[in-house]
């Protein structure tokens, strides 16, 4: 039986839009670009030939429009995987739940979800102003342990290697690992570096940054940089990728995370023009996304 989902579980507002995003089903495309910064949404949609709808509620800004024949939505997630939980579930509900009967639709609609974010590099040879495609996301946050999901044997092997080489204090994190949607990743090769991305539950200590607060894992950066397994290495860290890949697996969507490298933590360098590197990432990636 297809059970009715109660008003308390799937919250719709007065205009019949999903609660946090304030978006209605007809206002969403099936190819979606996520960005962290709400101000980055118009930086993407300014490249649209035509904008159909714009909505904002809290940090969630959503623009839907067209580049040529390609219909696209760009949505801001804010920072962190707690926000990814909200955004991915609400995007999924918009296509896979019938809002009038409040029941799950019989056929799954798969979304293509592509993150265009910023990130810090963990290798000397991943320079600032380069672009990284996350082959995998390793979550040091705590989102995915709340869901049931299956890892492939390859993912299990890589996660096992990670746990053997990166020593986290018991109780600090319960790492999980998911791979990118391969069909999407294959399109972003020329002009992109591929590597494993670590998703952290914070920007400072969880990324090895010591300002005034002492670190419980002073060896974190060194161990992440040294990690090797077969041909895999860790290229960068940020704060959303593993959550996106994880909920993509749980809900059945194809996800890819691409980052502009704004900091290199090994060289201790920061980009001279963050706005320019993000603009370049948007332009280069939209040229590919409009053809998907
Ligand atoms: C931290 O400054 C934020 O920047 C990165 C991190 O993942 C985190 O969200 O991505 P965005 O620039 O897309 O927000
Ligand atoms: N975003 C992060 O999460 N970390 C960085 O170092 C840069 C951007």
């Amino acid at each position: 039986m297809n059970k009715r989902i109660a008003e308390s579980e799937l919250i719709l507002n007065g205009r019949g839009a999903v609660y946090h995003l304030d978006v209605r089903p007809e206002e969403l495309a099936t190819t979606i670009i996520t960005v962290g910064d709400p101000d980055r949404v118009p930086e993407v949609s300014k490249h649209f030939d035509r904008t159909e709808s714009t909505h904002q509620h809290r940090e969630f800004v959503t623009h839907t429009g067209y580049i040529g024949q390609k219909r696209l939505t760009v949505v801001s997630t804010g920072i962190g995987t707690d926000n990814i939980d909200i955004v991915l579930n609400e995007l999924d509900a918009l296509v896979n739940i019938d809002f009038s009967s409040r029941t799950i639709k019989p056929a799954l609609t798969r979304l293509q979800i592509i993150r265009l974010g910023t990130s810090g590099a963990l290798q000397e040879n991943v320079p600032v102003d380069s672009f990284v495609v996350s082959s995998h996301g390793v979550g040091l946050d705590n989102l995915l342990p709340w869901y049931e999901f299956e890892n492939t044997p390859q993912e299990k092997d890589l996660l096992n290697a990670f746990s053997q080489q990166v020593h986290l204090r018991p109780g600090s994190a319960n790492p999980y690992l998911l791979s990118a949607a391969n069909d999407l990743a294959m399109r972003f090769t020329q002009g992109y570096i591929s590597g494993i991305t670590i998703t952290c539950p914070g920007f400072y200590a969880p990324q090895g940054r010591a300002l005034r607060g002492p670190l419980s894992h002073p060896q974190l950066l060194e161990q992440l940089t040294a990690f090797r397994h077969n041909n895999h290495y860790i290229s960068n860290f940020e704060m959303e990728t593993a959550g996106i890949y994880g909920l993509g697996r749980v809900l059945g969507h194809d996800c890819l995370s691409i980052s502009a490298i704004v900091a290199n933590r090994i060289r201790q360098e920061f980009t001279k023009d963050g706005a320019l590197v993000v603009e370049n990432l948007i332009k280069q990636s939209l040229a590919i996304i409009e053809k998907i």
Side-chain angles (χ1 to χ4, degrees):
M1 198 187 73
N2 197 349
K3 203 166 145 254
R4 184 178 183 281
I5 299 168
E7 279 74 2
S8 58
E9 313 303 296
L10 171 64
I11 301 162
L12 304 180
N13 66 20
R15 64 178 207 96
V18 70
Y19 173 57
H20 293 93
L21 299 186
D22 188 18
V23 170
R24 289 200 296 228
E26 67 273 19
E27 294 159 349
L28 188 77
T30 53
T31 300
I32 298 162
I33 295 166
T34 70
V35 298
D37 182 354
D39 289 342
R40 202 177 300 148
V41 172
E43 293 301 315
V44 175
S45 66
K46 75 182 184 193
H47 298 283
F48 289 0
D49 296 319
R50 180 161 68 87
T51 300
E52 246 180 31
S53 62
T54 64
H55 293 95
Q56 167 157 26
H57 181 223
R58 298 181 180 238
E59 62 265 61
F60 309 111
V61 176
T62 309
H63 293 180
T64 294
Y66 283 84
I67 300 181
Q69 299 298 308
K70 182 77 182 172
R71 190 167 183 245
L72 291 170
T73 291
V74 52
V75 57
S76 56
T77 64
I79 290 179
T81 56
D82 46 354
N83 276 14
I84 293 301
D85 185 52
I86 289 172
V87 174
L88 271 273
N89 273 291
E90 293 194 1
L91 292 176
D92 176 73
L94 282 163
V95 292
N96 286 314
I97 297 176
D98 180 331
F99 281 12
S100 49
S101 65
R102 293 181 158 275
T103 56
I104 296 171
K105 292 180 182 174
L108 176 78
T109 296
R110 280 184 96 88
L111 297 170
Q112 290 173 319
I113 299 173
I114 300 168
R115 169 182 176 269
L116 296 180
T118 64
S119 182
L122 285 162
Q123 303 291 335
E124 231 175 317
N125 63 356
V126 176
V128 292
D129 301 339
S130 65
F131 306 146
V132 168
V133 169
S134 304
S135 62
H136 303 79
V138 175
L140 304 185
D141 65 301
N142 199 32
L143 178 59
L144 260 290
W146 294 93
Y147 290 89
E148 289 287 351
F149 67 98
E150 286 286 326
N151 272 130
T152 64
Q154 293 84 351
E155 289 170 345
K156 283 182 190 162
D157 178 55
L158 197 49
L159 182 57
N160 187 35
F162 179 85
S163 302
Q164 280 171 14
Q165 294 180 45
V166 179
H167 304 290
L168 300 168
R169 194 158 81 173
S172 66
N174 182 9
Y176 62 92
L177 181 147
L178 279 304
S179 43
N182 198 34
D183 288 358
L184 281 180
M186 274 168 18
R187 296 173 180 270
F188 298 84
T189 49
Q190 207 176 344
Y192 298 85
I193 296 167
S194 171
I196 300 173
T197 297
I198 305 294
T199 294
C200 302
F203 188 81
Y204 290 97
Q207 294 187 19
R209 285 188 173 93
L211 300 185
R212 288 204 333 103
L215 304 182
S216 66
H217 290 78
Q219 312 304 324
L220 181 67
L221 250 59
E222 208 177 295
Q223 290 183 1
L224 293 174
T225 303
F227 173 86
R228 291 292 180 276
H229 184 62
N230 300 331
N231 289 325
H232 296 295
Y233 74 105
I234 293 167
S235 46
N236 62 315
F237 52 24
E238 48 71 83
M239 299 178 62
E240 292 85 24
T241 296
I244 295 172
Y245 285 5
L247 281 180
R249 177 70 50 85
V250 169
L251 298 170
H253 303 299
D254 296 321
C255 300
L256 189 69
S257 174
I258 309 177
S259 298
I261 298 300
V262 295
N264 184 299
R265 301 295 304 291
I266 310 308
R267 292 169 172 266
Q268 301 207 323
E269 289 172 358
F270 194 75
T271 180
K272 292 196 172 46
D273 193 339
L276 181 65
V277 59
V278 169
E279 170 68 10
N280 289 341
L281 175 73
I282 291 169
K283 277 201 271 196
Q284 184 171 317
S285 303
L286 277 181
I288 299 170
I289 294 168
E290 69 174 296
K291 296 198 189 90
I292 290 175

PDB file of all heavy atoms in Angstrom, residues 247-273:
ATOM      1  N   LEU A 247      23.261  10.883  -0.194  1.00  0.00           N
ATOM      2  CA  LEU A 247      21.811  10.966  -0.392  1.00  0.00           C
ATOM      3  C   LEU A 247      21.437  10.669  -1.842  1.00  0.00           C
ATOM      4  O   LEU A 247      20.336  10.182  -2.110  1.00  0.00           O
ATOM      5  CB  LEU A 247      21.278  12.324   0.064  1.00  0.00           C
ATOM      6  CG  LEU A 247      21.121  12.406   1.588  1.00  0.00           C
ATOM      7  CD1 LEU A 247      20.591  13.759   2.004  1.00  0.00           C
ATOM      8  CD2 LEU A 247      20.190  11.313   2.109  1.00  0.00           C
ATOM      9  N   GLY A 248      22.364  10.926  -2.772  1.00  0.00           N
ATOM     10  CA  GLY A 248      22.144  10.499  -4.159  1.00  0.00           C
ATOM     11  C   GLY A 248      21.979   8.984  -4.210  1.00  0.00           C
ATOM     12  O   GLY A 248      21.087   8.463  -4.889  1.00  0.00           O
ATOM     13  N   ARG A 249      22.820   8.268  -3.481  1.00  0.00           N
ATOM     14  CA  ARG A 249      22.712   6.798  -3.435  1.00  0.00           C
ATOM     15  C   ARG A 249      21.401   6.372  -2.763  1.00  0.00           C
ATOM     16  O   ARG A 249      20.684   5.499  -3.257  1.00  0.00           O
ATOM     17  CB  ARG A 249      23.914   6.237  -2.650  1.00  0.00           C
ATOM     18  CG  ARG A 249      23.929   4.729  -2.431  1.00  0.00           C
ATOM     19  CD  ARG A 249      24.175   3.945  -3.711  1.00  0.00           C
ATOM     20  NE  ARG A 249      25.331   4.418  -4.449  1.00  0.00           N
ATOM     21  CZ  ARG A 249      26.608   4.042  -4.218  1.00  0.00           C
ATOM     22  NH1 ARG A 249      26.854   3.118  -3.306  1.00  0.00           N
ATOM     23  NH2 ARG A 249      27.600   4.538  -4.920  1.00  0.00           N
ATOM     24  N   VAL A 250      21.086   6.989  -1.653  1.00  0.00           N
ATOM     25  CA  VAL A 250      19.881   6.613  -0.896  1.00  0.00           C
ATOM     26  C   VAL A 250      18.619   6.838  -1.732  1.00  0.00           C
ATOM     27  O   VAL A 250      17.712   6.005  -1.752  1.00  0.00           O
ATOM     28  CB  VAL A 250      19.797   7.441   0.418  1.00  0.00           C
ATOM     29  CG1 VAL A 250      18.445   7.280   1.095  1.00  0.00           C
ATOM     30  CG2 VAL A 250      20.934   7.062   1.375  1.00  0.00           C
ATOM     31  N   LEU A 251      18.565   7.977  -2.439  1.00  0.00           N
ATOM     32  CA  LEU A 251      17.319   8.388  -3.098  1.00  0.00           C
ATOM     33  C   LEU A 251      17.292   8.049  -4.591  1.00  0.00           C
ATOM     34  O   LEU A 251      16.253   8.182  -5.228  1.00  0.00           O
ATOM     35  CB  LEU A 251      17.118   9.907  -2.909  1.00  0.00           C
ATOM     36  CG  LEU A 251      16.975  10.351  -1.444  1.00  0.00           C
ATOM     37  CD1 LEU A 251      17.037  11.871  -1.337  1.00  0.00           C
ATOM     38  CD2 LEU A 251      15.680   9.828  -0.841  1.00  0.00           C
ATOM     39  N   GLY A 252      18.448   7.640  -5.145  1.00  0.00           N
ATOM     40  CA  GLY A 252      18.475   7.220  -6.553  1.00  0.00           C
ATOM     41  C   GLY A 252      18.709   8.350  -7.538  1.00  0.00           C
ATOM     42  O   GLY A 252      18.069   8.396  -8.594  1.00  0.00           O
ATOM     43  N   HIS A 253      19.600   9.277  -7.204  1.00  0.00           N
ATOM     44  CA  HIS A 253      19.926  10.373  -8.128  1.00  0.00           C
ATOM     45  C   HIS A 253      21.403  10.308  -8.519  1.00  0.00           C
ATOM     46  O   HIS A 253      22.222   9.732  -7.795  1.00  0.00           O
ATOM     47  CB  HIS A 253      19.584  11.721  -7.494  1.00  0.00           C
ATOM     48  CG  HIS A 253      18.140  11.801  -7.094  1.00  0.00           C
ATOM     49  ND1 HIS A 253      17.122  11.696  -8.017  1.00  0.00           N
ATOM     50  CD2 HIS A 253      17.545  11.914  -5.873  1.00  0.00           C
ATOM     51  CE1 HIS A 253      15.970  11.754  -7.391  1.00  0.00           C
ATOM     52  NE2 HIS A 253      16.179  11.885  -6.087  1.00  0.00           N
ATOM     53  N   ASP A 254      21.732  10.923  -9.677  1.00  0.00           N
ATOM     54  CA  ASP A 254      23.111  10.902 -10.176  1.00  0.00           C
ATOM     55  C   ASP A 254      23.786  12.202  -9.768  1.00  0.00           C
ATOM     56  O   ASP A 254      23.352  13.284 -10.172  1.00  0.00           O
ATOM     57  CB  ASP A 254      23.107  10.784 -11.703  1.00  0.00           C
ATOM     58  CG  ASP A 254      22.496   9.459 -12.130  1.00  0.00           C
ATOM     59  OD1 ASP A 254      22.755   8.449 -11.448  1.00  0.00           O
ATOM     60  OD2 ASP A 254      21.741   9.441 -13.121  1.00  0.00           O
ATOM     61  N   CYS A 255      24.852  12.083  -8.978  1.00  0.00           N
ATOM     62  CA  CYS A 255      25.451  13.284  -8.379  1.00  0.00           C
ATOM     63  C   CYS A 255      26.934  13.401  -8.715  1.00  0.00           C
ATOM     64  O   CYS A 255      27.659  12.399  -8.784  1.00  0.00           O
ATOM     65  CB  CYS A 255      25.304  13.233  -6.854  1.00  0.00           C
ATOM     66  SG  CYS A 255      23.595  13.150  -6.316  1.00  0.00           S
ATOM     67  N   LEU A 256      27.355  14.648  -8.892  1.00  0.00           N
ATOM     68  CA  LEU A 256      28.763  14.940  -9.118  1.00  0.00           C
ATOM     69  C   LEU A 256      29.110  16.228  -8.388  1.00  0.00           C
ATOM     70  O   LEU A 256      28.332  17.188  -8.409  1.00  0.00           O
ATOM     71  CB  LEU A 256      29.039  15.107 -10.617  1.00  0.00           C
ATOM     72  CG  LEU A 256      30.528  15.195 -10.979  1.00  0.00           C
ATOM     73  CD1 LEU A 256      31.210  13.845 -10.751  1.00  0.00           C
ATOM     74  CD2 LEU A 256      30.718  15.623 -12.431  1.00  0.00           C
ATOM     75  N   SER A 257      30.291  16.243  -7.757  1.00  0.00           N
ATOM     76  CA  SER A 257      30.747  17.456  -7.064  1.00  0.00           C
ATOM     77  C   SER A 257      32.023  17.961  -7.736  1.00  0.00           C
ATOM     78  O   SER A 257      32.969  17.202  -7.944  1.00  0.00           O
ATOM     79  CB  SER A 257      31.017  17.129  -5.591  1.00  0.00           C
ATOM     80  OG  SER A 257      31.582  18.237  -4.944  1.00  0.00           O
ATOM     81  N   ILE A 258      32.003  19.243  -8.092  1.00  0.00           N
ATOM     82  CA  ILE A 258      33.159  19.875  -8.730  1.00  0.00           C
ATOM     83  C   ILE A 258      33.520  21.096  -7.893  1.00  0.00           C
ATOM     84  O   ILE A 258      32.647  21.868  -7.497  1.00  0.00           O
ATOM     85  CB  ILE A 258      32.819  20.321 -10.174  1.00  0.00           C
ATOM     86  CG1 ILE A 258      32.191  19.166 -10.958  1.00  0.00           C
ATOM     87  CG2 ILE A 258      34.064  20.823 -10.883  1.00  0.00           C
ATOM     88  CD1 ILE A 258      31.746  19.543 -12.373  1.00  0.00           C
ATOM     89  N   SER A 259      34.820  21.248  -7.628  1.00  0.00           N
ATOM     90  CA  SER A 259      35.249  22.349  -6.765  1.00  0.00           C
ATOM     91  C   SER A 259      36.316  23.199  -7.433  1.00  0.00           C
ATOM     92  O   SER A 259      37.245  22.666  -8.049  1.00  0.00           O
ATOM     93  CB  SER A 259      35.860  21.804  -5.460  1.00  0.00           C
ATOM     94  OG  SER A 259      34.921  21.061  -4.724  1.00  0.00           O
ATOM     95  N   ALA A 260      36.206  24.501  -7.239  1.00  0.00           N
ATOM     96  CA  ALA A 260      37.305  25.417  -7.550  1.00  0.00           C
ATOM     97  C   ALA A 260      38.220  25.424  -6.329  1.00  0.00           C
ATOM     98  O   ALA A 260      37.757  25.613  -5.196  1.00  0.00           O
ATOM     99  CB  ALA A 260      36.755  26.811  -7.802  1.00  0.00           C
ATOM    100  N   ILE A 261      39.496  25.205  -6.563  1.00  0.00           N
ATOM    101  CA  ILE A 261      40.445  25.195  -5.440  1.00  0.00           C
ATOM    102  C   ILE A 261      40.814  26.647  -5.102  1.00  0.00           C
ATOM    103  O   ILE A 261      41.433  27.338  -5.919  1.00  0.00           O
ATOM    104  CB  ILE A 261      41.702  24.368  -5.792  1.00  0.00           C
ATOM    105  CG1 ILE A 261      41.312  22.904  -6.050  1.00  0.00           C
ATOM    106  CG2 ILE A 261      42.753  24.468  -4.681  1.00  0.00           C
ATOM    107  CD1 ILE A 261      40.659  22.168  -4.890  1.00  0.00           C
ATOM    108  N   VAL A 262      40.392  27.075  -3.908  1.00  0.00           N
ATOM    109  CA  VAL A 262      40.688  28.461  -3.504  1.00  0.00           C
ATOM    110  C   VAL A 262      41.860  28.514  -2.517  1.00  0.00           C
ATOM    111  O   VAL A 262      42.471  29.571  -2.337  1.00  0.00           O
ATOM    112  CB  VAL A 262      39.440  29.173  -2.921  1.00  0.00           C
ATOM    113  CG1 VAL A 262      38.369  29.335  -4.006  1.00  0.00           C
ATOM    114  CG2 VAL A 262      38.876  28.438  -1.713  1.00  0.00           C
ATOM    115  N   ALA A 263      42.149  27.373  -1.865  1.00  0.00           N
ATOM    116  CA  ALA A 263      43.270  27.338  -0.903  1.00  0.00           C
ATOM    117  C   ALA A 263      44.099  26.088  -1.162  1.00  0.00           C
ATOM    118  O   ALA A 263      43.543  25.049  -1.515  1.00  0.00           O
ATOM    119  CB  ALA A 263      42.733  27.302   0.524  1.00  0.00           C
ATOM    120  N   ASN A 264      45.406  26.204  -1.033  1.00  0.00           N
ATOM    121  CA  ASN A 264      46.242  24.989  -1.013  1.00  0.00           C
ATOM    122  C   ASN A 264      46.860  24.906   0.373  1.00  0.00           C
ATOM    123  O   ASN A 264      47.667  25.749   0.763  1.00  0.00           O
ATOM    124  CB  ASN A 264      47.313  25.012  -2.102  1.00  0.00           C
ATOM    125  CG  ASN A 264      48.078  23.699  -2.116  1.00  0.00           C
ATOM    126  OD1 ASN A 264      48.717  23.343  -1.117  1.00  0.00           O
ATOM    127  ND2 ASN A 264      47.999  22.972  -3.215  1.00  0.00           N
ATOM    128  N   ARG A 265      46.449  23.882   1.138  1.00  0.00           N
ATOM    129  CA  ARG A 265      46.814  23.792   2.546  1.00  0.00           C
ATOM    130  C   ARG A 265      48.248  23.310   2.732  1.00  0.00           C
ATOM    131  O   ARG A 265      48.836  23.514   3.788  1.00  0.00           O
ATOM    132  CB  ARG A 265      45.824  22.866   3.265  1.00  0.00           C
ATOM    133  CG  ARG A 265      44.375  23.359   3.160  1.00  0.00           C
ATOM    134  CD  ARG A 265      44.165  24.690   3.887  1.00  0.00           C
ATOM    135  NE  ARG A 265      44.577  24.584   5.260  1.00  0.00           N
ATOM    136  CZ  ARG A 265      43.935  23.858   6.185  1.00  0.00           C
ATOM    137  NH1 ARG A 265      42.827  23.219   5.875  1.00  0.00           N
ATOM    138  NH2 ARG A 265      44.400  23.782   7.419  1.00  0.00           N
ATOM    139  N   ILE A 266      48.804  22.677   1.730  1.00  0.00           N
ATOM    140  CA  ILE A 266      50.169  22.179   1.848  1.00  0.00           C
ATOM    141  C   ILE A 266      51.147  23.311   1.555  1.00  0.00           C
ATOM    142  O   ILE A 266      52.111  23.542   2.280  1.00  0.00           O
ATOM    143  CB  ILE A 266      50.401  20.986   0.877  1.00  0.00           C
ATOM    144  CG1 ILE A 266      49.284  19.945   1.031  1.00  0.00           C
ATOM    145  CG2 ILE A 266      51.784  20.367   1.090  1.00  0.00           C
ATOM    146  CD1 ILE A 266      49.013  19.464   2.449  1.00  0.00           C
ATOM    147  N   ARG A 267      50.851  24.064   0.485  1.00  0.00           N
ATOM    148  CA  ARG A 267      51.688  25.221   0.142  1.00  0.00           C
ATOM    149  C   ARG A 267      51.341  26.452   0.972  1.00  0.00           C
ATOM    150  O   ARG A 267      52.008  27.482   0.861  1.00  0.00           O
ATOM    151  CB  ARG A 267      51.493  25.576  -1.333  1.00  0.00           C
ATOM    152  CG  ARG A 267      52.028  24.540  -2.309  1.00  0.00           C
ATOM    153  CD  ARG A 267      51.503  24.916  -3.695  1.00  0.00           C
ATOM    154  NE  ARG A 267      52.082  24.110  -4.729  1.00  0.00           N
ATOM    155  CZ  ARG A 267      53.160  24.457  -5.443  1.00  0.00           C
ATOM    156  NH1 ARG A 267      53.767  25.589  -5.242  1.00  0.00           N
ATOM    157  NH2 ARG A 267      53.624  23.653  -6.376  1.00  0.00           N
ATOM    158  N   GLN A 268      50.232  26.362   1.713  1.00  0.00           N
ATOM    159  CA  GLN A 268      49.710  27.501   2.486  1.00  0.00           C
ATOM    160  C   GLN A 268      49.518  28.723   1.587  1.00  0.00           C
ATOM    161  O   GLN A 268      49.999  29.824   1.864  1.00  0.00           O
ATOM    162  CB  GLN A 268      50.613  27.798   3.685  1.00  0.00           C
ATOM    163  CG  GLN A 268      50.707  26.581   4.608  1.00  0.00           C
ATOM    164  CD  GLN A 268      50.995  26.936   6.040  1.00  0.00           C
ATOM    165  OE1 GLN A 268      51.748  27.862   6.324  1.00  0.00           O
ATOM    166  NE2 GLN A 268      50.391  26.204   6.956  1.00  0.00           N
ATOM    167  N   GLU A 269      48.784  28.483   0.478  1.00  0.00           N
ATOM    168  CA  GLU A 269      48.488  29.556  -0.469  1.00  0.00           C
ATOM    169  C   GLU A 269      46.975  29.737  -0.580  1.00  0.00           C
ATOM    170  O   GLU A 269      46.211  28.773  -0.426  1.00  0.00           O
ATOM    171  CB  GLU A 269      49.024  29.199  -1.866  1.00  0.00           C
ATOM    172  CG  GLU A 269      50.527  29.235  -1.953  1.00  0.00           C
ATOM    173  CD  GLU A 269      51.045  28.698  -3.287  1.00  0.00           C
ATOM    174  OE1 GLU A 269      50.248  28.246  -4.149  1.00  0.00           O
ATOM    175  OE2 GLU A 269      52.273  28.707  -3.462  1.00  0.00           O
ATOM    176  N   PHE A 270      46.570  30.951  -0.886  1.00  0.00           N
ATOM    177  CA  PHE A 270      45.154  31.239  -1.126  1.00  0.00           C
ATOM    178  C   PHE A 270      45.041  31.958  -2.471  1.00  0.00           C
ATOM    179  O   PHE A 270      45.927  32.752  -2.825  1.00  0.00           O
ATOM    180  CB  PHE A 270      44.575  32.106   0.011  1.00  0.00           C
ATOM    181  CG  PHE A 270      43.075  32.153  -0.006  1.00  0.00           C
ATOM    182  CD1 PHE A 270      42.327  31.052   0.427  1.00  0.00           C
ATOM    183  CD2 PHE A 270      42.399  33.265  -0.473  1.00  0.00           C
ATOM    184  CE1 PHE A 270      40.936  31.077   0.385  1.00  0.00           C
ATOM    185  CE2 PHE A 270      41.002  33.296  -0.516  1.00  0.00           C
ATOM    186  CZ  PHE A 270      40.271  32.205  -0.087  1.00  0.00           C
ATOM    187  N   THR A 271      43.962  31.682  -3.192  1.00  0.00           N
ATOM    188  CA  THR A 271      43.785  32.291  -4.516  1.00  0.00           C
ATOM    189  C   THR A 271      43.823  33.818  -4.440  1.00  0.00           C
ATOM    190  O   THR A 271      43.356  34.413  -3.470  1.00  0.00           O
ATOM    191  CB  THR A 271      42.444  31.841  -5.162  1.00  0.00           C
ATOM    192  OG1 THR A 271      42.336  32.463  -6.437  1.00  0.00           O
ATOM    193  CG2 THR A 271      41.248  32.220  -4.318  1.00  0.00           C
ATOM    194  N   LYS A 272      44.322  34.449  -5.491  1.00  0.00           N
ATOM    195  CA  LYS A 272      44.381  35.916  -5.511  1.00  0.00           C
ATOM    196  C   LYS A 272      43.042  36.502  -5.925  1.00  0.00           C
ATOM    197  O   LYS A 272      42.766  37.667  -5.700  1.00  0.00           O
ATOM    198  CB  LYS A 272      45.491  36.376  -6.466  1.00  0.00           C
ATOM    199  CG  LYS A 272      46.867  36.015  -5.925  1.00  0.00           C
ATOM    200  CD  LYS A 272      47.978  36.776  -6.623  1.00  0.00           C
ATOM    201  CE  LYS A 272      49.313  36.554  -5.945  1.00  0.00           C
ATOM    202  NZ  LYS A 272      49.604  35.151  -5.623  1.00  0.00           N
ATOM    203  N   ASP A 273      42.175  35.676  -6.575  1.00  0.00           N
ATOM    204  CA  ASP A 273      40.886  36.194  -7.028  1.00  0.00           C
ATOM    205  C   ASP A 273      39.822  35.085  -6.983  1.00  0.00           C
ATOM    206  O   ASP A 273      39.599  34.383  -7.972  1.00  0.00           O
ATOM    207  CB  ASP A 273      41.034  36.763  -8.459  1.00  0.00           C
ATOM    208  CG  ASP A 273      39.834  37.599  -8.857  1.00  0.00           C
ATOM    209  OD1 ASP A 273      38.760  37.433  -8.242  1.00  0.00           O
ATOM    210  OD2 ASP A 273      39.980  38.413  -9.786  1.00  0.00           O
TER     211      ASP A 273
END
